Amino acid sequence: MADPAQFGHDRLAHLLSDRLLSVPRFQRGYSWEPPNVAEFLDDLRTARSESQPYFMGTVVLADDAADPSRQIIVDGQQRLTTTAILVAAVRDRLRQLNKLEPASVIDKNFLQTFDLEEEDNVTRLKLNAEDVRVYEEILAAQAPVDDKHPIVACYKMCIDHLAEVAPSEAHYRDLVNVVTHLDKSVQVLLAVASGLPEAYVIFETLNDRGADLTTADLLKNYLFSQSRTYLDHVEQQWSAVSRAFDKPEDLVKFIRHEHSSREGKVTTRKLYKVLQSSIGRGQKRVRDYVGRLEDSLQPFTAIREPDSEFWGRTDVDVRDSLLAFRRFGFESSMPLLLAVLNSWEITPAAKMVNKIAGWSVRAWFAGRLGGGTAEEVFSDAAVAVSSGRSKTQDHVFESLIKLIPTDQEFRQAVISSGSVSTGRAKYLLAQMERQHLAQLGVSVEAQPDWSGKSVSVEHVLAKSSGVTEFSSSADYERFQAGKDSLKNYTLLERTLNRKLADKPFEEKARMYQQSKFLLTRELGQNSTWTLADSDARATELAKLAIAAWPYR
C-alpha cells in the first residue's frame, strides 16, 4: 500500500531550499501576467513593512516515481515560479551592488545546487519544456533570447521593484530581508502525496469551488485523479488535446461543445459539475472519455481551418461555409457540426456542413441566433444525430425548423437588414454573385477569390456623402441609417477601388464596368443612383439570397 499523504505547513522559499521540485510536462506553462506579479510584490512589501507573516494558499506536491530525487508540483506552480524569479532578481541586484558573497549564498541555497552524481549544478526548480530555457538563462545571468516571455516580464518587474527596495549599496540588507521573509514568514499549507492520482484527489478537494482555476484545470485534475493505471495514457491524450489550444478558454469551449454534441446544451459555469456526473468514476470511464475528446479534436480543428487535410477525403467544397462560421461567429451550431462530422460518412457530413451554414445565415438575418435558445436547439439536434435518431438532412431540418425563417420571412429580413461588417458583406455578396451567375448559366471559374485581400467591399453611395447631396434631410437620415447595409455595398477588386471611396456615383460606375463581378458590372450600367435604386437593389439581393441559402 502506498504511504498516506502528508499534510503540514511550510514557507514558500523554504520549499525551494529544502527540496528539488519539477513542473510536470503536461502542466501549462508560466502564465502570471503583470497585474498578478504586481499584486504579489505589493502584498509581500506590505507584509515585510508590518513584520507580519503572509499566507500564500496551498501547495500540493507528489513523489515522482520516474525521478525519486524530485517532487512534482501539482498545485502552486505559478507562486513557486514567481518566488524563484524574485529570488533570482534579488541575487542579481546584490551582484549589481557588488555584494557577491550574499548573492552566492542565495544562489546556492534557493536556486541551484551541486549534484554529486551528475557532477554539475542542477536547478532546484525544474520547469517544463516551454519555460525551462528562458528560466535557466535567467539563472545563468544570460540575456534571454525570448524577451517577450512571461517569465522575462516577471523578472524585469522584480528587478524594477528591488531597485526601489534597495536603491544603493547601503540598503543591501533590505534585499536580504526579502529572501529571509520568503523563507521564514510567507506560509503555505503543504500536502505531499505518494503519487499523482492521490495528489489530484487532494488538489480537486482543496479547489472544489473552482476559485482561480479554469474548467480545464479542474477537469484535467479530476481525470488524472481517476485514471489510476491508465494515468500515462490519459496524460498523453490530454496533452495532445490541450496543446491544440493557445488559451485555456478555447480549450474549455471545445470541451463544452463536445459534451453538448452528445448530451445537450451545458453552460460554461455548470460544465465541470456536469462533466463529473457524465464521466463518472473509474479509470475505464475516464480513459473512454479522453479518447472521445481526442477523436473529436480533428473535426473540431477542421471546422476552423478550411485548408485542413481533413476535407481532402471528399469532393464537397465546404470552404465558403467554414469561412462563414468564422466571420459570423456561428458558435451555437458547433455541437451539431461536431455531431455530424463524428457520426456520418465524410461526404454526407460535408454536405450537411454547407446546409447548416445556409440555415445559420438565414437565422442570423432573422435575428434568431441570439441568447441561449439557438444553442439549445442546435445542441438538441446534435444529440439526435449522435444517438442515431437523425440520419438525414431532412431529419436535421425538422430539428432546427424553429430557427430557420421561411422564404417570405427571410426575404423581408434581407430587405430590411441594417449595418453589416465588410468582412461579412464580402461573404454574403460573393454567394449572391455565384447564385446570380448560376441562374444565368455562367461559369464561376473566372470569379476572383472573394476571401482574398485582392477583393474589397465598396460603398455604392459614398460613405462620406453630405446632406446637400440629398433632396431632403429625411432622405439624408435614411442614407445614414443604411449606408453600411448590404444594399449599399458591392464587391470590387482593390486595383479598381483605389481613391474611389469618396467619388460620386457617376465616376464609380465607370470603374464598376471593369469589374469581374457581374453584380458590380450591372451596377455600372446605371448613370445615376438614388435611395430608390438602393431599395430596389435590396429586393433583388433578397431574391438571390433565397436561392443561395435555400430553405430545404
Side-chain angles (χ1 to χ4, degrees), residues 396-412:
V396 176
F397 174 82
E398 294 300 330
S399 298
L400 300 178
I401 194 166
K402 68 169 67 173
L403 289 181
I404 307 170
T406 64
D407 285 350
Q408 181 58 35
E409 292 169 331
F410 185 36
R411 176 182 179 277
Q412 188 55 45

Side-chain angles (χ1 to χ4, degrees), residues 135-150:
Y135 176 66
E136 292 190 354
E137 287 170 340
I138 287 173
L139 293 190
Q142 298 173 354
V145 174
D146 182 4
D147 62 356
K148 295 183 180 179
H149 194 286

Side-chain angles (χ1 to χ4, degrees), residues 52 144 176 306 343 371-372 423:
Q52 292 292 324
V176 175
S343 304

Side-chain angles (χ1 to χ4, degrees), residues 52-107:
Q52 292 292 324
Y54 181 59
F55 178 64
M56 277 293 289
T58 303
V59 172
V60 180
L61 306 177
D63 293 334
D64 188 352
D67 185 358
S69 68
R70 289 188 180 269
Q71 291 176 315
I72 297 171
I73 304 170
V74 174
D75 185 25
Q77 169 196 351
Q78 307 297 326
R79 285 164 287 159
L80 283 165
T81 303
T82 306
T83 300
I85 296 168
L86 175 58
V87 171
V90 170
R91 177 202 65 181
D92 294 346
R93 180 59 180 161
L94 285 167
R95 289 173 175 171
Q96 290 173 358
L97 299 178
N98 203 33
K99 295 296 179 180
L100 302 183
E101 187 62 28
S104 177
V105 171
I106 286 172
D107 185 77

Side-chain angles (χ1 to χ4, degrees), residues 103-379:
S104 177
V105 171
I106 286 172
D107 185 77
K108 179 179 178 181
N109 287 352
F110 298 97
L111 300 175
Q112 302 178 92
T113 187
F114 190 81
D115 187 285
L116 289 175
E117 290 188 8
E118 296 190 18
E119 296 186 2
D120 197 4
N121 281 333
V122 297
T123 60
R124 292 183 175 276
L125 173 62
K126 183 179 179 182
L127 301 188
N128 62 11
E130 60 184 288
D131 295 334
V132 63
R133 180 180 180 183
V134 69
Y135 176 66
E136 292 190 354
E137 287 170 340
I138 287 173
L139 293 190
Q142 298 173 354
V145 174
D146 182 4
D147 62 356
K148 295 183 180 179
H149 194 286
I151 283 180
V152 177
C154 174
Y155 176 76
K156 290 178 178 177
M157 289 183 67
C158 290
I159 285 290
D160 292 343
H161 171 77
L162 295 172
E164 296 177 6
V165 171
S168 67
E169 184 179 344
H171 300 86
Y172 89 93
R173 289 297 313 173
D174 292 332
L175 293 172
V176 175
N177 288 340
V178 170
V179 177
T180 301
H181 184 252
L182 286 165
D183 187 40
K184 304 295 184 184
S185 300
V186 181
Q187 301 178 13
V188 295
L189 287 175
L190 177 65
V192 182
S194 58
L196 277 175
E198 182 186 29
Y200 284 115
V201 171
I202 296 168
F203 174 80
E204 185 186 345
T205 302
L206 292 171
N207 293 282
D208 186 53
R209 291 176 301 161
D212 298 323
L213 295 169
T214 69
T215 300
D217 290 324
L218 290 169
L219 177 60
K220 177 192 71 176
N221 293 300
Y222 177 73
L223 295 173
F224 287 4
S225 71
Q226 294 293 311
S227 58
R228 302 295 172 181
T229 59
Y230 291 114
L231 178 60
D232 288 345
H233 177 72
V234 169
E235 174 197 323
Q236 290 174 6
Q237 288 185 302
W238 178 266
S239 296
V241 171
S242 59
R243 278 197 303 269
F245 301 93
D246 293 331
K247 300 177 181 178
E249 55 265 32
D250 292 335
L251 172 58
V252 171
K253 192 177 292 184
F254 163 62
I255 292 169
R256 185 169 70 87
H257 288 321
E258 192 282 328
H259 178 85
S260 297
S261 74
R262 293 180 293 104
E263 300 194 30
K265 178 191 171 186
V266 60
T267 63
T268 301
R269 186 173 60 85
K270 294 181 179 180
L271 178 59
Y272 175 60
K273 289 298 183 184
V274 170
L275 284 169
Q276 267 191 312
S277 176
S278 172
I279 297 167
R281 297 188 177 274
Q283 55 187 359
K284 290 185 179 180
R285 293 176 69 91
V286 164
R287 178 199 63 187
D288 292 344
Y289 171 74
V290 178
R292 285 197 303 270
L293 207 58
E294 188 175 32
D295 289 343
S296 292
L297 181 61
Q298 186 184 23
F300 182 83
T301 304
I303 292 167
R304 296 169 180 268
E305 186 50 64
D307 296 324
S308 169
E309 293 180 0
F310 181 87
W311 303 111
R313 298 179 292 151
T314 179
D315 292 332
V316 178
D317 186 0
V318 298
R319 179 179 177 81
D320 285 352
S321 295
L322 299 182
L323 290 173
F325 288 120
R326 181 190 300 173
R327 293 190 178 219
F328 286 83
F330 289 152
E331 284 291 327
S332 58
S333 60
M334 193 63 73
L336 178 56
L337 293 170
L338 270 178
V340 167
L341 293 172
N342 279 328
S343 304
W344 293 5
E345 295 294 328
I346 184 62
T347 294
K351 292 179 180 178
M352 191 71 250
V353 168
N354 287 336
K355 277 293 183 182
I356 294 170
W359 291 333
S360 296
V361 168
R362 280 186 170 240
W364 176 80
F365 267 107
R368 297 182 184 179
L369 293 184
T373 302
E375 187 172 350
E376 186 171 347
V377 172
F378 276 114
S379 295

Side-chain angles (χ1 to χ4, degrees), residues 299-525:
F300 182 83
T301 304
I303 292 167
R304 296 169 180 268
E305 186 50 64
D307 296 324
S308 169
E309 293 180 0
F310 181 87
W311 303 111
R313 298 179 292 151
T314 179
D315 292 332
V316 178
D317 186 0
V318 298
R319 179 179 177 81
D320 285 352
S321 295
L322 299 182
L323 290 173
F325 288 120
R326 181 190 300 173
R327 293 190 178 219
F328 286 83
F330 289 152
E331 284 291 327
S332 58
S333 60
M334 193 63 73
L336 178 56
L337 293 170
L338 270 178
V340 167
L341 293 172
N342 279 328
S343 304
W344 293 5
E345 295 294 328
I346 184 62
T347 294
K351 292 179 180 178
M352 191 71 250
V353 168
N354 287 336
K355 277 293 183 182
I356 294 170
W359 291 333
S360 296
V361 168
R362 280 186 170 240
W364 176 80
F365 267 107
R368 297 182 184 179
L369 293 184
T373 302
E375 187 172 350
E376 186 171 347
V377 172
F378 276 114
S379 295
D380 288 346
V383 173
V385 170
S386 296
S387 65
R389 298 195 309 273
S390 281
K391 299 180 180 180
T392 67
Q393 286 188 9
D394 286 342
H395 290 159
V396 176
F397 174 82
E398 294 300 330
S399 298
L400 300 178
I401 194 166
K402 68 169 67 173
L403 289 181
I404 307 170
T406 64
D407 285 350
Q408 181 58 35
E409 292 169 331
F410 185 36
R411 176 182 179 277
Q412 188 55 45
V414 173
I415 291 174
S416 61
S417 61
S419 297
V420 180
S421 70
T422 55
R424 293 174 176 179
K426 282 177 73 174
Y427 163 78
L428 295 171
L429 289 170
Q431 303 314 304
M432 293 173 181
E433 170 81 10
R434 289 189 176 186
Q435 185 59 43
H436 188 39
L437 293 173
Q439 290 175 348
L440 295 174
V442 179
S443 172
V444 300
E445 294 299 322
Q447 187 183 43
D449 177 12
W450 68 267
S451 63
K453 294 182 179 179
S454 63
V455 175
S456 64
V457 172
E458 158 72 9
H459 285 80
V460 181
L461 289 177
K463 193 173 182 178
S464 60
S465 299
V467 64
T468 58
E469 299 174 51
F470 296 88
S471 58
S472 67
S473 58
D475 280 353
Y476 178 67
E477 290 176 6
R478 280 181 58 207
F479 163 72
Q480 286 291 99
K483 64 183 178 182
D484 292 323
S485 62
L486 209 56
K487 64 186 178 182
N488 196 43
Y489 282 143
T490 194
L491 296 177
L492 190 63
E493 296 85 337
R494 287 193 183 276
T495 54
L496 301 175
N497 198 15
R498 293 171 184 163
K499 301 180 181 179
L500 203 58
D502 296 326
K503 300 294 183 182
F505 178 80
E506 291 76 8
E507 292 187 40
K508 292 185 176 189
R510 290 195 292 272
M511 286 296 182
Y512 292 170
Q513 292 173 22
Q514 301 176 40
S515 175
K516 291 184 179 180
F517 294 104
L518 179 57
L519 287 174
T520 304
R521 291 203 304 274
E522 291 175 349
L523 266 177
Q525 295 172 6

